[in-house]
Amino acid sequence: MSNQEETAIFAGGCFWCMVKPFDTLAGIKKVISGYTGGFVPNPTYEQVSRHETGHTEAVKIIFDPEIISYKQLVEIYWQQTDPTDAMGQFQDRGDNYRPVIFVKDDTQRQIAEASKQELEKSGRFSDPIVTQIEAAQPFYPAEEEHQQFYRKDPHRMQLEEAGGRQDFIATHWQNPKQ
């Protein structure tokens, strides 16, 4: 990998389920589970879960743009989520699980907006695309037990993935309706 480093922040339901799809790609230096978009500095998992902070669970991806582009990451992001569900993702319900692409600058915003428009025009979904694109806000890493959770507790991850995410991905992304 080169010394180039960029960041991307995506929210798509439980952050546990958002790490592995990015963590395993060439060009990804690190994927950090955390919280963003709220009004309380340094929130805890318990505070966010109780909806006391306004934060959304998200992942911060540190990547090498010479190996993988932000545009590619956005495309991968869409394929991990249900972009028609504004109130959470799969079994994870509530504003702390809402789907959001957090952009750090105008370039990321233009890429994310163009990608969202392409998805809307594709006809892949009959319902409107409701994923928000918002300015990045302070990102607070989650507690250590939440980092790389898919590696630490594979059995629990199987239970999480049984909540509908994998079936949705297979139906809408891997085998799209024509």
Side-chain angles (χ1 to χ4, degrees), residues 82-103:
D82 176 353
T84 67
D85 186 352
M87 295 311 297
Q89 293 289 286
F90 313 104
Q91 79 273 16
D92 301 314
R93 310 311 304 158
D95 60 341
N96 55 318
Y97 295 120
R98 66 193 181 97
V100 184
I101 298 173
F102 290 96
V103 295

Side-chain angles (χ1 to χ4, degrees), residues 7-176:
T7 60
I9 300 175
F10 301 125
C14 174
F15 49 34
W16 293 345
C17 297
M18 292 296 292
V19 174
K20 185 178 179 182
F22 295 100
D23 192 47
T24 57
L25 300 173
I28 302 299
K29 294 184 175 190
K30 190 169 188 178
V31 181
I32 305 163
S33 296
Y35 318 106
T36 192
F39 51 83
V40 174
N42 300 306
T44 66
Y45 182 77
E46 290 74 24
Q47 288 174 310
V48 173
S49 296
R50 290 191 306 258
H51 307 275
E52 297 174 352
T53 68
H55 286 88
T56 301
E57 288 191 16
V59 290
K60 181 177 187 176
I61 301 164
I62 301 168
F63 66 100
D64 182 337
E66 292 185 5
I67 298 173
I68 190 165
S69 70
Y70 182 75
K71 184 178 192 290
Q72 288 172 297
L73 293 176
V74 171
E75 296 301 320
I76 294 162
Y77 166 78
W78 290 123
Q79 296 179 34
Q80 308 312 311
T81 67
D82 176 353
T84 67
D85 186 352
M87 295 311 297
Q89 293 289 286
F90 313 104
Q91 79 273 16
D92 301 314
R93 310 311 304 158
D95 60 341
N96 55 318
Y97 295 120
R98 66 193 181 97
V100 184
I101 298 173
F102 290 96
V103 295
K104 69 175 189 160
D105 57 27
D106 287 341
T107 300
Q108 283 191 354
R109 181 174 294 281
Q110 289 169 358
I111 292 168
E113 292 284 359
S115 180
K116 183 177 178 180
Q117 288 173 359
E118 281 180 35
L119 183 57
E120 288 168 339
K121 290 177 187 173
S122 75
R124 183 179 294 269
F125 296 97
S126 54
D127 292 330
I129 305 302
V130 296
T131 299
Q132 296 297 302
I133 298 171
E134 299 178 7
Q137 297 181 39
F139 181 91
Y140 301 98
E143 298 82 350
E144 182 55 36
E145 63 263 26
H146 299 294
Q147 304 302 329
Q148 299 291 308
F149 192 82
Y150 79 97
R151 293 177 195 259
K152 292 177 181 174
D153 195 340
H155 176 70
R156 175 71 189 273
M157 280 305 301
Q158 283 181 329
L159 295 175
E160 288 296 317
E161 290 173 344
R165 186 180 298 263
Q166 294 306 318
D167 290 342
F168 184 88
I169 290 169
T171 301
H172 290 88
W173 294 107
Q174 294 168 350
N175 303 309

